[in-house]
């Protein structure tokens, strides 16, 4: 059935260091949108050795195959596609070859975005999922190759930074061995703290009312925190919150498991992340400690949903003020169920 003149269908693709994601949504004149389809492929685009200076041929092949399939899904939905690439592609010396193949073989024109733009778009995505539009929020998003940090309020970024700290990058630097080496965790913690210092001073000038985390890494840690409570996993971790103390316990469980095989047994952990979760967990641990976060609120919307909203704004010139009543609309929706 046609969405009618008041709506149009859009697709966004997020080409990350760990995974490639597609989201297809129906956008309405009000500025809101309804997600009608999601796809994900864990292609590990940033899986090459070293400081992610080159994309491996095998990783490029996996990513192009995912893009071809996503293009087909979007075409079936009659949805124009906007694709963005982050850390792995923007740092790679051979990114031009990947971008050329994406266009020639999948018909997708990939936009390589800066770290600041990535943080801004993640912020837009998060604001559609959690009711923090009118509060000053500290946002943290931990990807495979980078971590985006932002202080924002009412859709405006007051300060933002993209750091070369990511779950895959940290794994390659400190843990890419069969068993944890003595002292590796302490070295990783010191390295992460040294990278956070600059933005911590900047963020301290603004302060924040609430801390929000997005990304697969943070959802995975939320799932482990939930499992430690002895509770069954919720249908979604959106708006789930966990404390700094709960995070510390989860990190302690991961550190106590010195091999990937043992980490797979940690309750609540998605086993596909067992090889990189420790690196991501230590990043979040140090962010929480450095910024004095007592509790973290989880958003299951992030970059790709931000791309959708940004695209809608470009097409229709919509403001973000519809996001200010997210809490009321959520309550109304639940009451109607």
């Amino acid at each position: 059935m046609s969405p009618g003149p008041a709506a149009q269908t859009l697709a966004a693709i997020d080409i990350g260091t760990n995974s490639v994601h597609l989201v297809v949504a129906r956008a309405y004149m009000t500025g809101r949108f309804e997600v009608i389809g999601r796809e994900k492929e864990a292609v590990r685009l940033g899986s090459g050795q070293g400081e992610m200076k080159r994309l491996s041929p095998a990783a490029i092949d996996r990513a192009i195959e995912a893009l071809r399939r996503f293009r087909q899904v979007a075409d079936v939905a009659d949805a124009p596609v906007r694709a963005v690439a982050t850390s792995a592609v923007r740092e790679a010396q051979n990114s031009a070859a990947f971008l050329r193949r994406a266009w020639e073989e999948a018909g997708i024109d990939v936009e390589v975005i800066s770290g600041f733009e990535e943080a801004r778009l993640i912020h837009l995505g998060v604001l559609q999922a959690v009711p923090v539009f009118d509060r000053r929020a500290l946002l943290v998003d931990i990807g495979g190759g980078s971590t985006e940090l932002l202080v924002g309020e009412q859709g405006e970024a007051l300060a933002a930074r993209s750091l070369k700290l990511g779950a895959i990058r940290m794994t390659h630097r400190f843990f890419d061995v069969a068993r944890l080496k003595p002292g590796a965790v302490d070295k990783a913690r010191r390295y992460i703290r040294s990278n956070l210092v600059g933005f911590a001073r900047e963020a301290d000038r603004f302060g924040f009312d609430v801390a929000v985390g997005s990304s697969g890494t943070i959802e995975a840690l939320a799932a482990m925190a939930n499992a430690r409570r002895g509770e069954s996993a919720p249908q979604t971790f959106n708006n789930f919150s966990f404390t700094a103390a709960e995070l510390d316990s989860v990190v302690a469980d991961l550190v106590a498991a010195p091999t990937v095989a043992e980490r797979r047994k940690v309750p609540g952990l998605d086993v596909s992340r067992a090889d990189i979760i420790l690196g991501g967990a230590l990043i979040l641990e140090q962010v929480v400690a450095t910024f004095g976060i007592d509790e973290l609120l989880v958003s299951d919307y992030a970059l790709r949903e931000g791309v959708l909203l940004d695209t809608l704004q470009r097409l229709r010139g919509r403001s973000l003020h519809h996001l200010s009543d997210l809490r009321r609309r959520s309550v109304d929706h639940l009451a109607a169920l």
Side-chain angles (χ1 to χ4, degrees):
M1 184 170 67
S2 170
Q8 67 187 108
T9 307
L10 302 171
I13 295 175
D14 160 17
I15 303 168
T17 302
N18 186 44
S19 303
V20 180
H21 293 260
L22 167 74
V23 60
V24 181
R26 188 166 293 137
Y28 296 94
M29 291 295 291
T30 59
R32 295 173 49 235
F33 64 78
E34 172 192 6
V35 174
I36 58 176
R38 292 184 183 276
E39 299 284 343
K40 172 187 173 183
E41 289 287 349
V43 301
R44 292 286 173 94
L45 195 56
S47 61
Q49 295 302 309
E51 280 294 303
M52 299 188 183
K53 295 301 183 186
R54 294 191 67 81
L55 306 174
S56 73
I60 291 176
D61 287 344
R62 292 192 297 269
I64 297 300
E65 181 57 36
L67 291 178
R68 274 201 295 258
R69 188 168 71 81
F70 291 177
R71 171 87 258 181
Q72 292 170 353
V73 172
D75 286 347
V76 168
D78 195 25
V81 175
R82 181 176 170 197
V84 299
T86 59
S87 177
V89 177
R90 70 174 170 248
E91 293 182 38
Q93 295 170 349
N94 60 337
S95 61
F98 169 73
L99 298 175
R100 183 176 62 253
R101 286 189 60 187
W103 174 249
E104 292 176 350
E105 299 177 36
I108 292 177
D109 184 15
V110 178
E111 174 187 353
V112 182
I113 58 175
S114 69
F116 183 90
E117 177 68 355
E118 182 178 355
R120 185 187 74 84
L121 292 171
I122 291 168
H123 185 215
L124 289 183
V126 165
L127 289 177
Q128 298 166 83
V130 294
V132 298
F133 182 81
D134 293 316
R135 304 173 71 189
R136 185 163 294 182
L138 171 66
L139 169 67
V140 53
D141 184 283
I142 300 170
S146 65
T147 290
E148 275 58 52
L149 294 161
L150 179 143
V151 178
E153 188 173 12
Q154 296 191 342
E156 295 297 322
L158 304 176
R161 187 77 58 87
S162 178
L163 303 174
K164 291 184 178 182
L165 298 171
I168 292 177
R169 193 189 297 269
M170 292 296 295
T171 299
H172 287 171
R173 189 178 186 107
F174 296 100
F175 310 124
D176 202 10
V177 291
R179 176 177 289 270
L180 284 180
K181 292 181 179 178
V185 169
D186 287 339
K187 288 178 182 176
R189 283 172 167 148
R190 288 195 297 271
Y191 179 80
I192 295 164
R193 283 197 298 271
S194 69
N195 279 269
L196 292 173
V197 169
F199 187 72
R201 285 195 294 264
E202 188 175 358
D204 190 54
R205 298 206 318 269
F206 295 102
F208 60 92
D209 304 316
V210 59
V212 183
S214 60
S215 73
T217 289
I218 290 177
E219 287 199 44
L221 294 167
M224 285 182 278
N226 184 68
R228 286 187 113 265
R229 296 176 185 175
E231 299 178 4
S232 58
Q235 189 172 12
T236 173
F237 279 96
N238 193 56
N239 280 299
F240 178 91
S241 64
F242 59 104
T243 66
E246 288 181 302
L247 175 62
D248 287 343
S249 296
V250 167
V251 174
D253 289 344
L254 293 171
V255 172
T259 66
V260 172
E262 289 176 82
R263 263 170 248 142
R264 289 193 182 102
K265 300 174 185 176
V266 176
L269 175 61
D270 175 355
V271 295
S272 69
R273 291 184 177 272
D275 59 334
I276 62 172
I277 191 62
L278 179 57
L282 291 175
I283 295 169
L284 185 60
E285 174 199 60
Q286 294 306 307
V287 167
V288 164
T290 299
F291 292 90
I293 297 169
D294 297 319
E295 188 173 44
L296 190 72
L297 182 65
V298 178
S299 167
D300 67 357
Y301 279 18
L303 177 58
R304 48 207 167 271
E305 291 82 10
V307 170
L308 284 175
L309 183 58
D310 187 64
T311 302
L312 191 60
Q313 286 181 287
R314 292 184 183 186
L315 291 173
R316 297 180 177 175
R318 292 289 169 186
S319 74
L320 298 176
H321 292 297
H322 67 284
L323 298 174
S324 64
D325 67 342
L326 176 60
R327 184 186 298 276
R328 180 183 61 76
R329 287 191 288 102
S330 298
V331 171
D332 291 346
H333 174 70
L334 289 172
L337 293 179

